[in-house]
Each structure stands twice: as structure tokens, then as C-alpha cells.
């Protein structure tokens, strides 16, 4: 299923394209991104083979409700929803900015606001939730800025490099979004034909 293209003030959220393989190849894997997702320490950036990113492309293309974060025509990350429950009118949000040079520039906040607008106004969900590692302070600040509230803590739920860390569960409800969240400056939603 194709996702609509969503135009923001600085970024575009769009369907994955084959050219994104080369963007991922150029970016590589960096400690900042990997560790915040619960991965191992990287002493130096890694640059896996093109085959690895071609596999990432194939898997990502098969997913519904996942957008590429495009900055200036380049893939710098992805964001979207999973664990969607039509019965409960809810979904789980996820985001990752692969390019460490683009961290702390408001891109995550803009992408999150755009997708909250999509989730609450187009999909008509009641609740959007997420999980974030306790040490990912930058992401927590972003989510709070976008209107998410802490629901609770999954104590010591992640074992990373020989130590247990807790996950924080956060959510935002449709009426909270309407009352308090700052909507994104969205240029609208357009259905883009996926590349074959």
C-alpha cells in the first residue's frame, strides 16, 4: 500500500525509493543512532555493503505506514506507525534519523508533528503511543514538545551491553492533540505511486 507524500516546512515524508539505498550507503551506521535504538556501541562509523541496504530497501518497501524522511532530496531517516489496532483506534509511533549530522535540528519534531496530524486527522485514531529508552533524552524532549505524556515505565526491560535499562511508555490522545499540540505546517497529503 502506498503512503501519501506529506510536505512539511523543511522536510518531505514520502514512500521509499530505490535511490534511498545509496543514501543509506553514504550515511553508514553511527553510534548515536544505533545506541539510541538499543544497539551495541560503535567505536567507529560502519559502512556496510550495498547489499545490506538493498535488503533494507526490500523490507521497508513491504511495510505499510512507513515514510522516508527526505531532506533536500536525500533519505536521512524514517518514521511511521506499527501495531495498528483498528478495534481500539490506536497505533504505535516510531522514528529514526539515520544521519547523525541531522540530529538536534528539529527534524524529528517536524516529522512527529506531521505524522500526528496524519494519524489524528486522516486515520482518525484515538491514541498514538510509543516506547523510548530512558537514556534517550533528546527523543523524550521531542515527544514531550509534540504533546506526548508519560504513561509509565517498563522497568529494566532492555538488556544493553551488560546492563538493564527501562523503557518509558508515552502516548497522546486525539483530544489532547486538538487542545494542546502544535499542528505541523503541513502542505497536505498526496498519494504517490510507489516505484516498482
Amino acid at each position: 500500500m502506498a503512503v501519501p507524500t506529506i510536505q512539511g516546512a523543511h522536510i518531505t515524508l514520502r514512500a521509499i525509493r530505490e535511490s534511498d539505498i545509496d543514501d543509506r550507503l553514504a550515511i553508514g551506521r553511527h553510534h548515536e543512532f544505533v545506541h539510541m535504538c538499543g544497539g551495541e556501541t560503535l567505536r567507529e562509523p560502519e559502512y556496510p555493503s550495498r547489499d545490506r541496504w538493498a535488503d533494507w530497501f526490500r523490507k521497508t518497501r513491504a511495510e505499510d505506514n512507513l515514510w522516508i524522511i527526505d531532506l533536500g532530496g536525500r533519505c536521512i531517516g524514517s518514521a511511521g506507525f506499527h501495531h495498528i489496532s483498528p478495534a481500539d483506534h490506536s497505533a504505535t509511533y516510531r522514528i529514526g534519523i539515520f544521519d547523525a549530522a541531522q540530529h538536534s535540528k528539529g527534524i524529528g519534531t517536524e516529522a512527529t508533528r506531521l505524522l500526528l496530524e496524519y494519524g489524528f486527522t486522516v486515520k482518525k485514531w484515538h491514541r498514538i503511543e510509543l516506547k523510548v529508552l530512558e537514556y534517550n533524552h533528546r527523543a523524550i524532549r521531542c515527544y514531550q514538545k509534540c504533546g506526548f505524556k508519560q504513561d509509565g515505565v517498563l522497568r529494566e526491560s532492555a538488556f544493553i551491553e551488560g546492563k538493564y535499562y527501562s523503557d518509558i511508555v508515552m502516548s497522546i490522545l486525539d483530544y489532547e492533540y486538538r487542545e494542546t499540540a502544535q499542528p505541523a505546517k503541513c502542505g497536505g497529503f498526496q498519494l504517490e505511486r510507489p516505484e516498482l
Side-chain angles (χ1 to χ4, degrees):
M1 180 178 121
V3 295
T5 298
I6 304 172
Q7 184 61 55
H10 304 97
I11 60 170
T12 302
L13 301 178
R14 59 164 174 80
I16 193 166
R17 298 193 286 238
E18 196 162 354
S19 61
D20 297 332
I21 297 170
D22 293 319
D23 291 337
R24 289 301 312 265
L25 184 64
I27 291 168
R29 296 177 74 239
H30 297 265
H31 171 72
E32 183 71 8
F33 172 73
V34 171
H35 189 59
M36 293 306 161
C37 294
E40 74 286 358
T41 295
L42 294 179
R43 304 280 178 223
E44 299 287 334
E46 292 180 351
Y47 294 92
S49 72
R50 193 175 195 283
D51 288 345
R52 176 177 179 150
W53 300 124
D55 188 47
W56 163 80
F57 166 75
R58 284 188 293 276
K59 288 177 182 172
T60 303
R61 187 172 59 175
E63 291 190 47
D64 293 335
N65 299 292
L66 185 66
W67 286 259
I68 292 300
I69 302 171
D70 183 305
L71 179 66
R74 287 179 51 242
C75 163
I76 62 160
S78 67
F81 302 103
H82 59 119
H83 297 131
I84 295 167
S85 172
D88 297 321
H89 307 111
S90 66
T92 301
Y93 179 66
R94 61 180 165 169
I95 184 171
I97 298 176
F98 315 134
D99 188 346
Q102 302 303 329
H103 291 171
S104 300
K105 293 187 176 180
I107 291 169
T109 300
E110 183 175 353
T112 300
R113 285 182 173 152
L114 288 168
L115 287 178
L116 287 178
E117 184 173 345
Y118 177 79
F120 288 127
T121 64
V122 175
K123 302 302 272 185
K124 307 292 187 199
W125 290 325
H126 171 65
R127 172 186 167 90
I128 296 174
E129 65 179 44
L130 59 84
K131 256 186 357 179
V132 58
L133 283 161
E134 64 180 309
Y135 58 71
N136 194 345
H137 303 294
R138 183 179 59 242
I140 293 167
R141 284 192 304 272
C142 165
Y143 301 142
Q144 289 171 334
K145 199 186 309 182
C146 293
F148 282 88
K149 296 179 180 176
Q150 182 172 321
D151 288 343
V153 177
L154 300 175
R155 296 180 308 131
E156 299 188 1
S157 55
F159 187 66
I160 302 164
E161 298 185 334
K163 186 175 176 187
Y164 290 101
Y165 293 94
S166 298
D167 275 304
I168 297 173
V169 178
M170 304 179 79
S171 69
I172 181 170
L173 306 176
D174 54 359
Y175 57 85
E176 293 171 335
Y177 173 76
R178 287 191 300 270
E179 291 170 4
T180 62
Q182 295 177 8
K185 291 184 175 77
C186 176
F189 308 106
Q190 295 183 320
L191 193 60
E192 181 177 273
R193 295 178 73 87
E195 283 187 13
L196 301 176

